[in-house]
Amino acid sequence: MLEKEAVASLIELLHGPASATGFVVSGGTEANLLALYSARNAAKIDKPEVVVPESAHFSFDKICDMLNIKLVKARLDSNYRVDPEAVEENVNANTIAVVANAGSAELGAVDPVAELSKIAENYGLPLHVDAAFGGLVLPFLRELGYAANDFDFSVSGVQSVTVDPHKMGLASIPTGCILFRDENALRCIRTDTPYLTAPIQFTFVGTRPGASAAAAWAVFESMGREGFRRIVKRCMNVTSFLKSELEEAHFELVTKPSMNIIAFRGEDSKWLVARLRGRGWCVSYVPRLDCVRIVLMPHTTKRHVLEFVQVLRELANA
Ligand SMILES: Cc1ncc(COP(=O)(O)O)c(C=O)c1O
């Protein structure tokens, strides 16, 4: 019951139709896995392939290995969004799905979902959107007046969406969610469970942690849309503060942040990250882009930013 209500809240937020359905799962990896499991089984192709952005989360590497799907990575444009032409070039008779990011893990980049949807529909393919991070940011950005493209079920080719309440949804770990536009997508991932009181299952995990559904439900109930909007507003204010502080300290931003993720470079970013760790600041280094990456989660404040940039300046001038 709590799972149904939590899923229904997310479906409503992400403009799902009445036929939409979904499950609370362990996180983005399992949600992406279920989406591709459904797409692969529905397609019934001997040598299945999926086209993902070069920036797709590494969960797709694992998933394709497990499901025996060839992972085809499409190049990005200069804004780190997947290039729709590159996606189309890589679609062939073996393609079972196209994947888009709505908030890439590295930079928070949002792929051109509407254009990818047209391509997917032209080829009769499902478009899966990995909004593990962005699914609980983008809807509120728009309400706050930021430019944010459509990325959810309001785009007709989007057949499934990953969204993680345990990221920007403030729920306890593990709480992910997979949503499908149409419950028919479940037919090919159904398992009969004859001796149980619930006679069928659609998730990989059998007995699932009820606490995850309860956590998501409780946060949605207590925060409401207004609460999430407030949190996203605060995160974006801290993000823009960090951006201007970094620029003032002459660090190069990799790209203009489209949500509360900032990536920047110093003279030697890998060295910088190691030194920051030594000073108690545990931030991530992205080898693919040779940059430092920071996610401004709801607990971060302008005071944290000032202290962090002070340490950065000291290290850069050492
Ligand atoms: C865009 C995206 N997809 C998938 C995942 C995987 O999520 P999880 O670690 O919850 O399995 C992440 C995690 O950071 C992510 O950012």
Side-chain angles (χ1 to χ4, degrees):
M1 196 62 199
L2 291 181
E3 179 185 30
K4 278 205 169 70
E5 289 186 18
V7 164
S9 301
L10 285 170
I11 288 175
E12 189 190 340
L13 179 71
L14 303 182
H15 303 105
S19 59
T21 187
F23 304 98
V24 171
V25 294
S26 59
T29 302
E30 193 183 347
N32 288 336
L33 175 59
L34 275 167
L36 290 198
Y37 185 43
S38 165
R40 187 202 67 171
N41 288 5
K44 295 196 184 86
I45 280 175
D46 280 349
K47 293 186 173 170
E49 300 184 10
V50 61
V51 184
V52 307
E54 234 170 49
S55 52
H57 185 260
F58 54 78
S59 54
F60 288 100
D61 293 85
K62 300 186 218 176
I63 292 164
C64 288
D65 189 31
M66 286 169 73
L67 297 178
N68 209 11
I69 299 174
K70 181 175 168 196
L71 183 66
V72 181
K73 295 192 177 179
R75 71 173 174 269
L76 309 183
D77 65 16
S78 55
N79 291 314
Y80 302 93
R81 297 181 196 124
V82 78
D83 178 347
E85 264 182 37
V87 170
E88 188 158 10
E89 278 163 19
N90 281 298
V91 168
N92 64 36
N94 289 330
T95 308
I96 55 129
V98 173
V99 171
N101 285 310
S104 64
E106 288 165 343
L107 298 176
V110 182
D111 292 321
V113 174
E115 282 171 81
L116 298 175
S117 163
K118 281 191 196 133
I119 295 169
E121 286 185 315
N122 276 346
Y123 290 89
L125 296 169
L127 174 60
H128 171 65
V129 175
D130 183 357
F133 187 84
L136 281 157
V137 179
L138 291 166
F140 306 106
L141 278 186
R142 177 170 277 185
E143 289 175 12
L144 290 164
Y146 288 88
N149 291 338
D150 290 338
F151 72 100
D152 60 16
F153 293 113
S154 57
V155 183
S156 58
V158 174
Q159 298 301 328
S160 51
V161 178
T162 287
V163 52
D164 276 356
H166 73 197
K167 296 192 168 71
M168 284 295 288
L170 309 180
S172 54
I173 293 173
T175 309
C177 200
I178 179 67
L179 306 175
F180 291 97
R181 174 181 290 277
D182 196 312
E183 55 196 8
N184 283 331
L186 305 183
R187 279 200 200 143
C188 52
I189 58 170
R190 167 193 165 122
T191 301
D192 291 331
T193 54
Y195 59 88
L196 297 184
T197 47
I200 45 174
Q201 268 179 14
F202 300 105
T203 49
F204 283 104
V205 178
T207 306
R208 288 176 294 145
S212 301
W217 182 89
V219 176
F220 296 161
E221 278 293 300
S222 68
M223 300 262 299
R225 272 182 104 101
E226 179 50 41
F228 277 111
R229 201 179 306 130
R230 221 177 28 243
I231 295 269
V232 170
K233 185 175 179 185
R234 211 171 61 211
C235 288
M236 290 308 289
N237 284 343
V238 178
T239 303
S240 109
F241 185 61
L242 175 59
K243 175 177 176 284
S244 51
E245 288 292 309
L246 287 170
E247 283 170 339
E248 211 181 293
H250 303 295
F251 287 94
E252 177 209 354
L253 290 186
V254 174
T255 186
K256 188 169 164 263
S258 43
M259 52 183 76
N260 48 327
I261 300 180
I262 286 204
F264 66 93
R265 297 188 180 102
E267 254 179 56
D268 182 342
S269 301
K270 197 172 177 183
W271 175 89
L272 201 53
V273 166
R275 288 303 164 104
L276 281 166
R277 202 164 279 221
R279 298 280 298 264
W281 291 93
C282 192
V283 295
S284 67
Y285 171 70
V286 183
R288 206 174 67 81
L289 301 167
D290 184 30
C291 67
V292 185
R293 165 189 175 266
I294 301 204
V295 182
L296 286 303
M297 290 302 278
H299 62 283
T300 45
T301 62
K302 290 187 178 175
R303 186 175 57 81
H304 293 132
V305 168
L306 287 174
E307 287 172 12
F308 176 70
V309 176
Q310 174 60 31
V311 174
L312 270 183
R313 284 181 191 268
E314 286 167 21
L315 291 172
N317 295 329

